[in-house]
Amino acid sequence: MDDNLKKIESSLKRTVLLIVLLLFTLISATFAWFTFNTATNVTPMRGSVSGTGITLLISDDPDGVFEKECNLNPYGGMDEYELEPVSTANLDTFFEAVAMDENNYAIRFRDVTDEIDSKLIRGTVYLKSVKKDAMVYLDPSKLMFDYGAQLLSSMRLGLRITGENGSFTYIFRLDDYAGGAEELQTVETEGTVVGDINSDGEAQFEDDPSIQMSDYFADVDADGFVTPGNEVLIELVGDEVATVEYWFYIEGCDNNTFNEVQDTAGAVTLAFAGCE
């Protein structure tokens, strides 16, 4: 009996040791990817518009005064915002990693959709084309993302623009503004993001929907003259007020999202251009 008890006790010790080692592996892997106790500070700035042959205006209030510029007033009403890595396929649901495997790949996530205002920047502005219809693009001459290359490479700009001609959702990579970023694979299949999770927190991965921002740039010369770009964001009907929802966030499944993006301060300027 004593021998059996010793065997059972030894087996239990080995089991406990294995569990402890497994927990240590998960915790160590998590911190190797992105630590939970630091964030990236961002100070939102302004939104602006430009146009040729039309009057394209912007406002932070659909019933307020429309001008050439307006303040970005994200939800939360703070002067500075902290960014933490999250993952989304649609800008409707957001998830964050809570556990990693021995390869440093995220394997468990939780839904943080109800907490996103503490993890990203989002808000709404409004566009109006006075009297005339307008094709709306991004204005590369005024867009400004004042961060380092590592953060820009891991970050996304989400836009959902809704007007009389429909609602259009875009998730843009900011790689056009970055270069020389380090990479570390964070999920088993590269080029994927979290679309949903099951009851155990296991992710259902989907192809990364993000696209290059430059395809939606207008051509703006030194005198501010605007000509159409390759792809239009939305076509506005004269005098309609279109809603522009925006999200700035760090995509947690991006290869550039690991500890190097931390402790970075930055600022944002959104800019749109319109032409007939």
Side-chain angles (χ1 to χ4, degrees):
M1 180 67 70
D2 290 341
D3 289 340
N4 288 335
L5 285 174
K6 289 180 179 179
K7 290 179 179 178
I8 293 172
E9 183 180 3
S10 176
S11 177
L12 286 174
K13 286 181 179 178
R14 285 197 300 271
T15 302
V16 171
L17 178 60
L18 286 173
I19 292 173
V20 171
L21 285 174
L22 176 61
L23 288 175
F24 178 77
T25 300
L26 290 176
I27 292 171
S28 297
T30 298
F31 275 78
W33 174 63
F34 199 95
T35 54
F36 294 134
N37 59 352
T38 58
T40 298
N41 292 323
V42 177
T43 304
M45 293 184 67
R46 301 185 64 80
S48 66
V49 293
S50 59
T52 300
I54 62 167
T55 302
L56 184 66
L57 301 177
I58 192 169
S59 177
D60 62 351
D61 182 349
D63 300 315
V65 177
F66 281 77
E67 298 179 345
K68 286 287 185 180
E69 291 187 343
C70 76
N71 288 325
L72 295 181
N73 296 308
Y75 305 136
M78 296 176 285
D79 292 329
E80 290 188 348
Y81 291 76
E82 293 185 338
L83 302 179
E84 297 178 4
V86 295
S87 187
T88 183
N90 52 28
L91 302 179
D92 294 318
T93 52
F94 291 81
F95 307 91
E96 72 175 6
V98 294
M100 315 292 285
D101 66 11
E102 66 277 7
N103 296 313
N104 288 345
Y105 296 152
I107 58 172
R108 293 288 187 278
F109 293 81
R110 72 182 186 97
D111 190 325
V112 292
T113 304
D114 293 336
E115 307 169 32
I116 58 171
D117 288 333
S118 65
K119 300 177 183 297
L120 53 74
I121 299 172
R122 68 184 181 110
T124 305
V125 292
Y126 303 89
L127 295 176
K128 181 178 181 179
S129 178
V130 179
K131 294 183 180 179
K132 296 182 180 181
D133 298 351
M135 295 184 296
V136 179
Y137 303 87
L138 295 169
D139 181 353
S141 69
K142 295 180 180 177
L143 276 173
M144 193 268 287
F145 305 101
D146 185 17
Y147 316 108
Q150 193 70 42
L151 181 57
L152 286 171
S153 297
S154 65
M155 202 171 176
R156 301 288 190 269
L157 165 63
L159 292 178
R160 180 169 291 145
I161 308 177
T162 304
E164 293 184 22
N165 286 320
S167 183
F168 305 89
T169 299
Y170 307 94
I171 299 178
F172 293 112
R173 297 189 293 276
L174 302 186
D175 298 59
D176 292 313
Y177 292 82
E182 297 182 34
E183 293 190 1
L184 177 69
Q185 189 170 336
T186 57
V187 290
E188 186 172 3
T189 303
E190 290 188 78
T192 61
V193 297
V194 181
D196 202 356
I197 58 174
N198 64 20
S199 58
D200 294 326
E202 295 176 339
Q204 298 175 20
F205 290 101
E206 299 182 13
D207 290 340
D208 185 350
S210 63
I211 56 178
Q212 288 291 346
M213 181 181 290
S214 55
D215 289 338
Y216 292 80
F217 286 168
D219 292 321
V220 184
D221 66 18
D223 297 322
F225 187 83
V226 179
T227 53
N230 294 329
E231 300 285 347
V232 64
L233 291 172
I234 192 172
E235 294 185 23
L236 298 184
V237 176
D239 287 330
E240 77 161 298
V241 175
T243 301
V244 181
E245 300 169 83
Y246 61 86
W247 294 257
F248 291 100
Y249 65 97
I250 299 172
E251 173 50 61
C253 294
D254 190 285
N255 277 3
N256 300 115
T257 302
F258 57 106
N259 286 347
E260 295 298 326
V261 305
Q262 297 176 114
D263 301 324
T264 304
V268 176
T269 298
L270 269 182
F272 302 91
C275 56
E276 292 184 83

